[in-house]
Amino acid sequence: MTGQHGRRADRGGRRSRGSRAAIVGGAVAAGGAVVLAVTLWPGGSEGGGGDRADNSPPPRSAEPSPTYPMSKAPQTIPAVAEHKAARGPGWKPGPEGQVVVAEKDADELADEGRLLAGELELKYAEGAKAGPGDVELALNSGDAGAEAYTLDVGDKRVRISATDDAGVFYGTRTLKQMTRGDGTAPEGVVRDEPAKAQRGFMLDIARKHFTAEWIEERVRELADLKYNQLGLHFSDDQAFRIESDEHPEVVSDPHLTKAEVRRIVKLAQALHITVVPEIDSPGHLGAVIRAHPDLQLVDARGVPARGAVDISKPAAAKIVDELLKEYAELFPGAYWHLGADEYQALMRTNPEASYPQLARAAQQEYGGAAKVQDLATGWLNDRADTVRPTGKKLKAWNDGFFRGGTVQAAKDIEVEYWTGKEIGAREPVEYLDAGRKMVNLNDEYLYYVLGEPNEFTYPTGERIYKEWTPLVLRKTQPVAAKYDDQILGARFAVWCDLSESQTQDQVADGIRMPLRAMAQKVWDERKPAMSWPDFQNLAKQLG
């Protein structure tokens, strides 16, 4: 979040076979492929050779002419993990080419097939046998991850195989990028998978209204960069930006209609992106408080706390829970963000003295030793209890988790670490040593705050590319590599504190290279092989 100091994979539901995934342009990718050891790849451990009954690639025909040089690794953003070079002409889309999906795989892969066929101006066919000039998409068995894939270019055809439609989709993104430039995908075998499961973009649509069309264009851009999450922060002090049937009185103008949200969610699902909604509470609820001023937190002197509801009042919990339940249906994805940051009561040096009503409520609920932080933690856990029956995984900002105390935050809530500037700031290692799973939103590198308030500066792709990795959770120093498995991924965030500072188009332009740099670093945590100037040139070439 940004507030006073600066703010901070799976996707929802299977798609029906008939759903449309109309994504255009925006293909991007990075060079300098490096070898990544993987136990078992889709299509076989050697890039897909073997028995056709096992869905492996077709055997190559006669040895390619030695006049062909060894192929070079494809240039993509993010760079592929491994490319096994070979001699041959490569593959390029032609007028007679098809994207072929086996009948048995059509329920899962028809969307991917039709999308790729449209992008490469090929025909789409189900049940046909792939021949020269064709691209075959296939599912196969094995224990490779859902997002891993093998892409085999040889014998004048392409085969993309994976254990899940997500992996096949990422293979199609790679092929789309390969064919930019001279239009030829290099001969050989790509084996690829991401380093991090959560690769996301957070957009503050509460402080600034973004049109549905603009958001959809970002979804297409994110998909080509192999992101798999879009966070929507749609309620804050300034506005509440999605239509509500339960509480229309809290909704601001302009806002997204539910029909527009469903359209965004449908497109995101088709492109293997989960939309992660956030109704922040118990702070950042100014839009709700304007319609319900009796819920506002007031200190012992009678001074209201900006954006904060009084969590000692049952009516505050009631309205937030009603909103959570209403929007759970609108967002069928696997995650929900509960917020929990920058609650004004806990930004005082002595919360109990400043807010005696909260201190009394804490003691009544949790015993004589309880403090205001315990009441706030109880609020977080209660909101988690409201959402948890939907089956969603839960997230909250790191400053909503407090050390010590009588009440502890539920263990299944992921920590989204954004800053160390809050009162009583905790180092990331505290959360990691406690066994918490974390997502990296380091405000030093990953926060694009409109107007650059509170000492923020717009992040650059170069700095992310050269300095940041998912291990760099706070400021500029990484945590120990032993914690790598607990860091689930990262999200780049746009916060609109000074909302008129940039237009939608200026935001899209400003985040273009940072998004590409972060895409590279969450797909492969190692130092990129390509120099920054070369990476910039590649991004320009790919569009």
Side-chain angles (χ1 to χ4, degrees):
M1 308 274 313
T2 54
Q4 303 255 323
H5 303 293
R7 261 207 197 248
R8 15 248 180 249
D10 41 58
R11 59 195 169 88
R14 286 283 180 186
R15 296 159 297 141
S16 66
R17 180 172 168 181
S19 68
R20 297 183 61 83
I23 146 176
V24 296
V28 273
V34 285
V35 174
L36 177 66
V38 174
T39 306
L40 179 63
W41 290 89
S45 61
E46 290 299 320
D51 188 352
R52 292 286 288 155
D54 293 330
N55 273 333
S56 57
R60 296 184 187 277
S61 54
E63 181 72 17
S65 167
T67 59
Y68 289 111
M70 291 296 287
S71 61
K72 295 181 179 180
Q75 302 269 289
T76 57
I77 297 175
V80 299
E82 177 185 346
H83 176 253
K84 184 177 181 181
R87 297 184 187 276
W91 176 91
K92 64 170 55 181
E96 301 304 316
Q98 303 180 104
V99 176
V100 176
V101 173
E103 191 66 37
K104 68 180 182 61
D105 294 335
D107 283 347
E108 290 293 314
L109 299 183
D111 286 348
E112 285 75 15
R114 291 192 179 98
L115 172 60
L116 184 66
E119 292 170 330
L120 300 185
E121 298 182 350
L122 303 174
K123 301 178 183 69
Y124 172 74
E126 289 180 9
K129 182 177 180 180
D134 291 348
V135 179
E136 181 184 5
L137 308 184
L139 294 173
N140 49 31
S141 59
D143 58 3
E147 295 184 316
Y149 67 91
T150 296
L151 190 158
D152 187 301
V153 179
D155 204 27
K156 300 180 181 178
R157 69 195 76 190
V158 178
R159 189 172 194 273
I160 300 171
S161 59
T163 61
D164 187 90
D165 57 340
V168 171
F169 177 73
Y170 293 129
T172 68
R173 299 306 85 201
T174 297
L175 182 63
K176 178 183 175 183
Q177 296 172 37
M178 280 176 160
T179 57
R180 301 300 284 261
D182 71 355
T184 302
E187 198 87 4
V189 179
V190 166
R191 291 184 283 254
D192 200 14
E193 67 176 350
K196 291 300 180 185
Q198 295 189 39
R199 307 177 302 280
F201 171 60
M202 164 71 82
L203 181 63
D204 172 11
I205 64 171
R207 295 179 176 94
K208 182 180 182 68
H209 174 67
F210 291 86
T211 65
E213 292 76 15
W214 189 93
I215 296 171
E216 288 170 326
E217 191 57 35
R218 299 289 73 70
V219 169
R220 295 183 179 100
E221 180 181 14
L222 294 170
D224 277 357
L225 291 166
K226 299 186 175 80
Y227 281 87
N228 61 8
Q229 288 183 355
L230 168 66
L232 292 180
H233 174 89
F234 64 92
S235 172
D236 212 300
D237 297 339
Q238 291 79 355
F240 192 105
R241 298 282 189 187
I242 295 180
E243 174 186 2
S244 172
D245 299 315
E246 290 292 323
H247 288 282
E249 75 281 1
V250 308
V251 179
S252 308
D253 284 319
H255 61 264
L256 297 175
T257 66
K258 285 189 173 182
E260 288 175 319
V261 172
R262 290 189 181 98
R263 197 176 78 205
I264 292 166
V265 168
K266 183 178 181 181
L267 174 65
Q269 288 178 330
L271 300 181
H272 297 265
I273 291 174
T274 298
V275 180
V276 183
E278 181 196 359
I279 297 177
D280 203 348
S281 78
H284 294 283
L285 283 171
V288 172
I289 291 169
R290 277 196 296 277
H292 298 273
D294 55 308
L295 300 181
Q296 187 162 27
L297 178 65
V298 177
D299 71 10
R301 299 172 298 161
V303 178
R306 184 172 186 261
V309 295
D310 188 331
I311 57 176
S312 69
K313 294 182 176 181
K318 181 175 183 293
I319 191 170
V320 171
D321 283 347
E322 288 169 350
L323 291 167
L324 291 173
K325 291 174 182 177
E326 176 181 4
Y327 291 107
E329 175 275 331
L330 188 63
F331 294 98
Y335 292 89
W336 188 279
H337 203 304
L338 296 165
D341 69 304
E342 295 182 325
Y343 187 50
Q344 293 294 308
L346 291 164
M347 299 174 76
R348 298 286 185 91
T349 54
N350 189 337
E352 288 69 38
S354 297
Y355 298 98
Q357 77 275 32
L358 300 184
R360 288 193 299 272
Q363 292 171 355
Q364 290 169 1
E365 184 73 19
Y366 301 111
K371 297 183 177 181
V372 173
Q373 73 172 59
D374 297 302
L375 193 66
T377 302
W379 170 281
L380 174 62
N381 288 341
D382 288 345
R383 305 295 74 75
D385 289 343
T386 297
V387 177
R388 196 177 285 110
T390 68
K392 298 181 190 300
K393 299 176 184 178
L394 303 168
K395 297 172 173 288
W397 299 114
N398 65 287
D399 50 333
F401 296 77
F402 307 100
R403 61 165 61 91
T406 300
V407 184
Q408 298 299 308
K411 291 293 186 183
D412 62 339
I413 303 175
E414 295 175 5
V415 179
E416 298 234 319
Y417 199 98
W418 70 280
T419 189
K421 299 173 183 175
E422 73 280 5
I423 292 175
R426 299 169 66 188
E427 293 284 347
V429 169
E430 282 195 46
Y431 302 90
L432 295 166
D433 282 343
R436 291 278 182 185
K437 303 287 189 180
M438 303 184 76
V439 176
N440 189 328
L441 286 96
N442 185 339
D443 65 353
E444 178 77 19
Y445 294 94
L446 307 180
Y447 262 39
Y448 192 94
V449 185
L450 296 198
E452 301 182 305
N454 302 312
E455 300 182 353
F456 278 103
T457 57
Y458 292 127
T460 67
E462 181 175 11
R463 193 159 178 245
I464 295 168
Y465 191 77
K466 291 181 174 179
E467 300 176 15
W468 178 85
T469 75
L471 291 172
V472 182
L473 283 156
R474 177 178 178 176
K475 299 181 179 177
T476 61
Q477 295 303 309
V479 297
K482 68 179 181 179
Y483 297 115
D484 188 58
D485 288 345
Q486 289 174 250
I487 301 170
L488 303 175
R491 283 198 283 166
F492 186 87
V494 170
W495 297 107
C496 302
D497 292 41
L498 301 177
S499 62
E500 300 303 313
S501 299
Q502 291 190 341
T503 65
Q504 289 187 146
D505 289 344
Q506 287 173 324
V507 172
D509 185 62
I511 65 178
R512 183 177 181 277
M513 287 309 298
L515 282 177
R516 283 150 179 76
M518 197 187 96
Q520 173 62 37
K521 302 301 281 288
V522 288
W523 194 266
D524 187 342
E525 296 174 272
R526 294 166 296 182
K527 182 179 179 179
M530 183 175 283
S531 71
W532 174 248
D534 287 345
F535 187 85
Q536 284 182 297
N537 289 335
L538 177 62
K540 190 177 299 183
Q541 171 192 328
L542 295 173

